[in-house]
Amino acid sequence: MCGLFGFIRNQDCGDPSRASVMCFQLGVLAEERGIDAAGLAMATGATATVTSPVVSRRDVKAGGWRVVKGAGPFRKIWDPQLTDVLDRAPAALGHTRWATQGDTRRLANSSPLQVGQLIGTHNGDVDALDLQSAYELPDPTGQTDTEVLMQALDQAGGVIAATLQVLESTLGRAALAWTDRRWPNLAMLARTAVSPLAVALDNDGNLFWASNPGWFTVAARRSGVRIRRDRIWLMPEGTLLLVDYSTGEPLLAGRHRFTATARARDDRLAPIVAYRGFSKGDRAADQKLINHRTLPDPVRLSRAVPLWA
């Protein structure tokens, strides 16, 4: 279980600091979904492809993005001296980690992860071995399923059909936000099975996303941002959104559907890992958007009895 948050800025809005403060407040609220590690990736300039992304440093500048992360809660990781960088960023992707895999001290296990040309975040738990086998992926640098899932998406090369194939073949829980340096000024938001993801548009035209829709109202109040309730949407399962910000404002470039697949244990864990911190109303609203198929638990063979017993 982890927390996702982030934004795409409307660069024509009068005061860029409001969206930045909103992003910070979403990061603080996301601590309810993990304090083992946290990070924020901020777009800093013209996007360029990289040959070998650095994954093991607290502060990395590469290919038009700056990625800051470390062990501990988000408010501890965030450096106020980065405020100017965030104010200028047209987009930012944030993550808080509740570690279920991998050493919490290794930055290669903390998100946002740089994998190939991707910078991405993930909330959930998926069958990494199935993805490694299906797509013949190399051994990951870290120890998390997030990296393996990002490897598969990176291999898709930003091609929609191939990306949808990866998402449809993913078994387990996943909400994702990522960008691909081969496709500048484009952000991808996806939800497979169980793990919620919500988006909101404020009165300045800034687009935000978060693992819990309730965070938007609280963060907006703390940051002076105005968001109407009817401008908050929960993403249905099996959805991929493409958001283009090349014109200086977030515009929906595509909405694609696919079949999401959960495991039986994902359904059993949903009340704990999916809806932590949700209001009853938001939980009920999200459950109306559940449409995944569920694979049954594998059959466990009983212990064999020797013929000579």
Side-chain angles (χ1 to χ4, degrees):
M1 178 176 66
C2 297
L4 304 187
F5 64 97
F7 75 92
I8 297 175
R9 187 189 305 281
N10 176 10
Q11 297 181 63
D12 291 330
C13 71
D15 183 359
S17 67
R18 283 198 297 266
S20 300
V21 175
M22 177 79 174
C23 180
F24 171 78
Q25 291 297 337
L26 287 173
V28 171
L29 291 166
E31 291 176 358
E32 76 173 6
R33 297 188 62 87
I35 58 172
D36 291 319
L40 189 68
M42 299 165 283
T44 57
T47 302
T49 57
V50 294
T51 54
S52 55
V54 178
V55 298
S56 57
R57 290 213 308 262
R58 287 179 58 90
D59 190 346
V60 177
K61 303 175 186 177
W65 285 78
R66 186 168 181 176
V67 181
V68 179
K69 59 183 177 179
F74 176 74
R75 72 187 82 194
K76 176 182 175 183
I77 303 308
W78 178 250
D79 184 349
Q81 294 183 10
L82 293 169
T83 300
D84 288 343
V85 178
L86 185 58
D87 284 346
R88 294 192 299 269
L93 295 81
H95 185 269
T96 60
R97 183 182 183 211
W98 186 311
T100 57
Q101 304 170 14
D103 190 335
T104 58
R105 296 167 296 181
R106 291 191 61 191
L107 290 176
N109 295 328
S110 301
S111 293
L113 284 181
Q114 297 190 80
V115 180
Q117 301 306 323
L118 269 56
I119 300 173
T121 57
H122 163 230
N123 166 37
D125 177 90
V126 302
D127 281 351
L129 291 178
D130 286 348
L131 288 172
Q132 286 179 306
S133 175
Y135 296 100
E136 299 180 350
L137 301 174
D139 292 336
T141 302
Q143 304 159 305
T144 66
D145 57 346
T146 298
E147 183 177 357
V148 175
L149 180 50
M150 290 297 164
Q151 284 178 320
L153 290 169
D154 179 63
Q155 192 177 95
V159 177
I160 298 303
T163 298
L164 291 172
Q165 182 180 16
V166 170
L167 294 172
E168 186 152 319
S169 64
T170 298
L171 304 180
R173 313 183 304 272
L176 301 144
W178 78 96
T179 187
D180 189 326
R181 289 186 174 97
R182 291 162 295 198
W183 298 88
N185 303 314
L186 188 69
M188 277 69 76
L189 304 175
R191 181 185 184 185
T192 66
V194 181
S195 295
L197 190 60
V199 295
L201 196 66
D202 72 7
N203 285 8
D204 289 329
N206 301 300
L207 179 74
F208 301 91
W209 61 86
S211 294
N212 184 337
W215 297 346
F216 294 131
T217 303
V218 178
R221 184 172 63 247
R222 293 177 179 177
S223 56
V225 168
R226 296 183 63 188
I227 299 179
R228 301 203 316 260
R229 184 65 188 177
D230 63 353
R231 307 300 289 278
I232 299 174
W233 302 276
L234 283 157
M235 286 178 57
E237 290 183 329
T239 301
L240 168 66
L241 299 181
L242 309 180
V243 184
D244 176 27
Y245 55 97
S246 60
T247 63
E249 63 176 323
L251 298 172
L252 183 63
R255 179 189 288 112
H256 303 273
R257 300 303 307 276
F258 59 92
T259 301
T261 303
R263 305 153 301 190
R265 68 175 181 270
D266 297 315
D267 290 335
R268 292 194 296 269
L269 289 170
I272 301 171
V273 300
Y275 296 122
R276 181 181 179 87
F278 268 53
S279 69
K280 291 182 179 179
D282 286 337
R283 177 174 176 173
D286 189 73
Q287 288 176 330
K288 293 178 180 179
L289 303 175
I290 300 299
N291 55 44
H292 64 260
R293 66 186 185 116
T294 301
L295 297 183
D297 286 324
V299 176
R300 293 184 178 182
L301 299 177
S302 59
R303 185 176 180 182
V305 178
L307 294 177
W308 56 87

